[in-house]
Amino acid sequence: VACRAASGDAPPSPRFGHTATACAGGRYVVVFGGLDRASASATKGALNDVVVLDVAQDAWFRPRAANVDAPPPRAFHCACATGDGRCVVVTCGRDGRAQHGDAWRLDCETWTWTRLTRAETTPRDFASVAAVMGEDSIVMFGGFDGKGWIGEAETLTRASESDASWTPTETKPARLEAIEAVTSHIAGGSGRATPEPRSGSAMVAHGPNLLIYGGQGANGSAFNDTWCLRRESDGGWRWVRLVLRGSPPTSRAGHGMSMISAGGIAAPNVVVTGGVGDDGWLVKERTYFDDAYFLDGDNAKWQKLTFSGEGNGPSSRAYHTLTQVSVHKCLCFGGFNGANACNDAWWLVADDMEYADITAEARASPRALVDALRANIDENRCHAKIDVFDGNDAAFRHHIASCDADDVRLGDVPKLMCEYVAATANLGLPDEHRREDGQGRFRHCDPQTMKLRDVSDALTELQGAYVANA
């Protein structure tokens, strides 16, 4: 497939061992931490910045509030969104040889950090986490604690609350049985009742269950097995090793894995990209992969994906991220190719399974987008009940970011004031600045009774807040 380009402002620096987490229903992808050079893996030098991709606007931004009281720098940590999608929880990781066992929550509305003081666990790196569907809890599996590999799972209960805490996840041993919507062929496999202890595996939520693939264990050996942590009807968990058809990915760790749907079918499937493993027979050599595999959930079958055309996907890499932002779309970002850190970004689009390079495209200016929206508004003015921004908050923000007061319809004022309240509270306008010139004075006004002059002033303040936080 032909690759198209796209880019926003100030993308994240080259890095690997970071996390990239979708939140707010896929509106944002939050990139946190990682390493920007290979030498930093043994000495302190990890990152702790937050860079956010606004998916609707195809643009990166750095929320200034996230720089205050942020977690210590780290890499090879893990992160996922809470069940309501409003927050991102970050836990574990390391900076040099110092490992972390703490947990932090980032509010994706105010972009502020909160340390979960009760959520301390065994310091480790290279663990994997996933949120449990329909619950305010997160499950973490595996990792390396500096002395050995971990094979147990833990659950962070009340993940969105300040009293969140880790508890051991009680699991039942694997047995031969069927599991709906994953595979019809399941066995304990090699006589093991649980996965071997490992680090660098990947885990995703598959309905109420959790899928785990690959990783690295004792003596540096990599795995290519697939396990399911199945949610039982009694609320407990059971390990199930999946026996799948087709050719699975070769043994690897540090790969990316995400849920995705293809071919217009809503059935959940899994895609695995990249990673690092050993190649060779007599002499083992470290190999970084550039391949991608698709697990067909309906047919319980692995399939290797092929891409054609100019720029056929990301180069070989590991310790990158693969983040699902919608049913048919994932973002691949960063990684390490064996020599350097990367900061290119790619969309993996499942409609026809193509990669699209979004690293360096020039996108339309905000003014051009506003002009296009104005044209739509003018075309529909004769239909008073039509709201061209209904259900599209990103398009509305594009419009008000550069429009004039004359372009604001009466029906837009409530939306505009909601944006105003959020912007003046959360987007970085200093308190002393507000005291000097009265900014923020319309926060408690009723949109239904505001004067037109006040709407114009509020619009000007809102546009200034957007600029201040750009």
Side-chain angles (χ1 to χ4, degrees):
V1 299
C3 289
R4 62 176 176 82
S7 95
D9 298 328
S13 59
R15 66 187 66 201
F16 61 99
H18 56 282
T19 52
T21 310
C23 63
R27 175 184 169 186
Y28 299 126
V29 176
V30 179
V31 175
F32 172 73
L35 295 173
D36 58 4
R37 61 188 188 281
S39 60
S41 61
T43 60
K44 287 185 176 293
L47 306 169
N48 71 336
D49 56 340
V50 173
V51 190
V52 182
L53 176 66
D54 187 322
V55 175
Q57 299 188 38
D58 204 14
W60 296 98
F61 68 93
R62 288 173 167 79
R64 289 186 294 178
N67 296 327
V68 180
D69 297 326
R74 66 192 64 203
F76 308 118
H77 51 286
C78 45
C80 72
T82 54
D84 58 11
R86 295 175 57 186
C87 302
V88 172
V89 173
V90 174
T91 185
C92 297
R94 78 166 193 244
D95 185 9
R97 292 183 174 86
Q99 293 180 305
H100 299 291
D102 53 355
W104 297 72
R105 186 177 63 240
L106 176 66
D107 188 315
C108 296
E109 293 181 349
T110 63
W111 302 113
T112 54
W113 287 102
T114 301
R115 181 169 183 173
L116 305 178
T117 55
R118 297 181 58 185
E120 295 288 334
T121 187
T122 303
R124 69 188 76 183
D125 49 34
F126 294 104
S128 54
V129 295
V132 181
M133 185 182 73
E135 300 181 20
D136 189 19
S137 60
I138 293 170
V139 172
M140 177 169 61
F141 170 74
F144 182 74
D145 65 4
K147 299 178 181 178
W149 285 263
I150 299 172
E152 293 79 31
E154 295 182 61
T155 301
L156 182 68
T157 56
R158 295 174 58 84
S160 64
E161 304 296 333
S162 59
D163 60 348
S165 61
W166 291 104
T167 58
T169 303
E170 299 294 334
T171 59
K172 302 173 185 178
R175 69 185 185 191
L176 179 64
E177 58 181 38
I179 184 169
E180 295 79 12
V182 176
T183 179
S184 58
H185 305 287
I186 301 177
S190 304
R192 292 199 59 87
T194 60
E196 293 182 62
R198 66 190 67 195
S199 63
S201 58
M203 179 164 64
V204 295
H206 191 298
N209 310 309
L210 305 175
L211 291 186
I212 297 169
Y213 174 79
Q216 177 178 299
N219 301 319
S221 58
F223 303 103
N224 73 335
D225 51 353
T226 307
W227 288 81
C228 173
L229 191 55
R230 175 183 173 176
R231 195 59 180 242
E232 300 280 85
S233 58
D234 61 3
W237 297 93
R238 181 182 297 279
W239 282 113
V240 182
R241 181 168 180 172
L242 307 187
V243 179
L244 304 164
R245 296 183 293 157
S247 299
T250 53
S251 300
R252 65 189 64 200
H255 46 285
M257 186 166 79
S258 179
M259 300 301 300
I260 201 165
S261 294
I265 301 174
N269 304 283
V270 178
V271 62
V272 171
T273 66
V276 61
D278 294 327
D279 194 15
W281 181 45
L282 293 177
V283 179
K284 295 292 185 181
E285 294 183 354
R286 203 76 164 154
T287 300
Y288 290 82
F289 302 110
D290 63 354
D291 50 9
Y293 287 81
F294 179 75
L295 174 57
D296 184 337
D298 285 336
N299 298 306
K301 183 179 181 180
W302 282 108
Q303 176 185 351
K304 186 174 183 179
L305 299 176
T306 57
F307 306 97
S308 60
E310 179 185 356
N312 56 1
S315 58
S316 302
R317 66 191 63 200
Y319 314 119
H320 55 292
T321 49
L322 187 68
T323 308
Q324 184 183 25
V325 299
S326 68
V327 174
H328 304 291
K329 195 173 183 180
C330 297
L331 176 72
C332 177
F333 173 75
F336 181 67
N337 60 16
N340 300 299
C342 310
N343 76 329
D344 50 343
W346 298 75
W347 288 123
L348 177 61
V349 183
D351 291 335
D352 45 11
M353 275 301 175
E354 68 176 24
Y355 268 115
D357 184 2
I358 65 166
T359 305
E361 173 190 25
R363 61 182 174 87
S365 67
R367 171 56 64 181
L369 294 172
V370 171
D371 290 344
L373 287 167
R374 283 175 172 167
N376 287 337
I377 293 172
D378 291 339
E379 182 179 344
N380 289 288
R381 256 186 185 142
C382 59
H383 305 288
K385 295 183 179 180
I386 294 179
D387 182 0
V388 297
F389 300 118
D390 186 29
N392 193 341
D393 293 338
F396 181 72
R397 292 188 186 94
H398 272 303
H399 173 57
I400 62 175
S402 300
C403 73
D404 301 319
D406 293 340
D407 296 320
V408 178
R409 299 183 306 167
L410 291 178
D412 292 336
V413 174
K415 283 185 181 180
L416 186 150
M417 293 310 298
C418 286
E419 288 293 314
Y420 174 88
V421 169
T424 56
N426 303 328
L427 295 188
L429 289 180
D431 290 338
E432 63 271 14
H433 186 53
R434 285 202 296 269
R435 287 195 298 268
E436 290 174 2
D437 58 12
Q439 289 204 28
R441 62 188 181 278
F442 302 113
R443 284 171 46 80
H444 302 292
C445 289
D446 183 355
Q448 304 298 330
T449 61
M450 289 185 67
K451 299 178 181 179
L452 291 178
R453 180 184 61 195
D454 292 341
V455 171
S456 177
D457 290 344
L459 174 63
T460 301
E461 288 184 31
L462 177 56
Q463 291 170 343
Y466 284 157
V467 171
N469 203 52

